[in-house]
Amino acid sequence: MTARSCPCGLPEAYEACCGRFHAGAAAAPTAERLMRSRYCAFVRQDGAYLLRTWHPRTRPARIDFDPGMRWTGLEILGGEAGSAFHSTGTVTFRASYRGGSLHERSRFERVDGAWVYVDGEFLS
């Protein structure tokens, strides 16, 4: 029996993929991996991880999840910078949910060496 692949869309099992970031055992090495792990945290309604990986300058006081929201998939459409060699980066993605999708270009920065989400721009 094989473990289900991670909700972020990569083929690894959750524990070996985003689960290790959520548990604090590792930090996301790139802006894209952080973005994937944050999508997965929305799927799993892990508000603590989302707040921990949100830039202190733009972080909300709390996250209210919509109990009816069912995320169904993530597609990475592109990105700029965001590697281990950068201090900023962007990731453009489409996150699908039952009844529609969210298309966004997210901005990320490093704070104390760790990637964090700054903000996003909704695209049509």
Side-chain angles (χ1 to χ4, degrees):
M1 182 170 145
T2 60
R4 244 176 83 216
S5 61
C6 189
C8 81
L10 294 177
E12 295 99 345
Y14 167 75
E15 291 75 18
C17 192
C18 293
R20 62 200 172 108
F21 304 140
H22 293 173
T30 66
E32 180 183 321
R33 286 303 295 262
L34 180 66
M35 200 258 108
R36 287 179 178 278
S37 71
R38 286 177 55 83
Y39 168 82
C40 186
F42 273 104
V43 170
R44 299 175 64 89
Q45 297 191 358
D46 184 346
Y49 180 77
L50 290 167
L51 290 171
R52 192 167 73 241
T53 58
W54 210 307
H55 197 291
R57 187 176 72 238
T58 57
R59 180 187 308 135
R62 69 176 201 272
I63 296 175
D64 296 318
F65 293 102
D66 176 349
M69 178 67 85
R70 294 291 175 263
W71 296 100
T72 58
L74 176 66
E75 181 184 5
I76 301 297
L77 302 172
E80 294 177 21
S83 79
F85 304 105
H86 298 105
S87 58
T88 63
T90 63
V91 178
T92 303
F93 66 92
R94 181 172 290 109
S96 298
Y97 55 87
R98 195 178 324 146
S101 67
L102 170 75
H103 187 194
E104 181 178 307
R105 180 182 303 111
S106 294
R107 292 187 321 130
F108 298 89
E109 291 179 10
R110 283 187 188 265
V111 172
D112 297 328
W115 284 107
V116 292
Y117 170 79
V118 178
D119 59 20
E121 171 190 2
F122 293 113
L123 306 170
S124 55

